[in-house]
Amino acid sequence: MNDHTTTRVALVTGGSGGIGRAVAERLAGDGIAVAVHYAGNRARADETVTAVTSAGGRAIAVSGDVADEHAMSAAFEAVEREFGGIDVVVNTAGVMHLAPIATLDLDELDRMHRTNIRGTFVVSQQAARRVRAGGAIINFSTSVTRLSFPTYGAYAASKGAVEAMTLVLARELRGRDITVNAVAPGPTPTPLFLQGKDQATIDNLAKAAPLERLGAPQDIAEVVAFLAGPARWINGQVLYANGGLV
């Protein structure tokens, strides 16, 4: 096992998903040991671990409901046991239900609140207690907090809460040499994004940005890698990664 003092360690929640997997692979490419967190899909998490290790990186899979503080405490402890500490926490785990505010099923509102708000809070709380000096905490918002697309009301509201707690945590960690930022992707073709959209909708979103394409998970992973490594003077910010859409 490598020297714990020289190897940076990252925990990526939702690491079996589209953006989460791209983030895990990108960070591993920078020499960071990666813990790939999953909630229910062990097979996809194992695929991400295999992709990292076959490319010469170090990775393990850890599981747990992000909204369950006991499960996440255990997940963080598992990472610390394996790799000796945690330097970077990237919280990509999230759920999205789209409907007009007038008709949204309130059970879906509660589900988004549990994963997107409580889950981000639980992960941020563990990160605030455990991340080592020189580290980074990176939460995930969405560009829809500015775009204000119809049917995104509840989802955008949950991500607005993520932005609020992210900016407060950056100030609460004064003196710890830990940056806290949020990444707000624009349209990115992941299963979460593609669900329920017809081709015309997808094409229109692709043309909306000046760069005239959708983002790729790797585009978002580049922003995370920047915040996780060299970007030590960016703190308490929301970075919009959307090709100029807003």
Side-chain angles (χ1 to χ4, degrees), residues 66-67 72 91 113-124:
V66 288
M72 292 315 297
N91 192 30
H113 184 286
R114 177 174 173 79
T115 298
N116 297 356
I117 301 179
R118 181 187 169 97
T120 298
F121 197 97
V122 167
V123 172
S124 294

Side-chain angles (χ1 to χ4, degrees), residues 1-5 7-11 33-36 58 60-62 72-89 123 125-133 176 178:
M1 188 173 289
N2 290 348
D3 185 348
H4 289 148
T5 62
T7 301
R8 283 171 70 78
V9 178
L11 169 62
V34 177
V36 178
R58 301 171 65 206
I60 60 169
V62 295
M72 292 315 297
S73 178
F76 273 75
E77 287 170 3
V79 179
E80 289 172 333
R81 276 197 309 272
E82 179 70 20
F83 294 130
I86 299 177
D87 303 285
V88 178
V89 173
V123 172
Q125 186 176 71
Q126 289 295 324
R129 295 171 179 174
R130 298 171 186 265
V131 168
R132 296 185 286 203
R176 295 267 306 276
I178 296 169

Side-chain angles (χ1 to χ4, degrees), residues 1-2 7-8 10 24-36 46-61 82-83:
M1 188 173 289
N2 290 348
T7 301
R8 283 171 70 78
E25 293 186 21
R26 178 65 183 79
L27 294 180
D30 283 343
I32 298 175
V34 177
V36 178
D46 285 342
E47 287 174 12
T48 306
V49 169
T50 299
V52 169
T53 55
S54 64
R58 301 171 65 206
I60 60 169
E82 179 70 20
F83 294 130

Side-chain angles (χ1 to χ4, degrees), residues 174-238:
R174 173 181 292 275
R176 295 267 306 276
D177 189 24
I178 296 169
T179 62
V180 189
N181 295 287
V183 177
T188 306
T190 64
L192 187 72
F193 166 80
L194 295 171
Q195 181 181 344
K197 292 183 176 69
D198 60 26
Q199 191 61 46
T201 299
I202 295 167
D203 291 344
N204 286 336
L205 286 168
K207 292 172 187 167
L211 294 178
E212 294 192 333
R213 66 175 177 85
L214 296 174
Q218 291 75 19
D219 292 319
I220 311 307
E222 284 295 333
V223 180
V224 173
F226 178 57
L227 293 172
R232 298 308 303 164
W233 198 231
I234 297 178
N235 189 30
Q237 304 297 320
V238 180

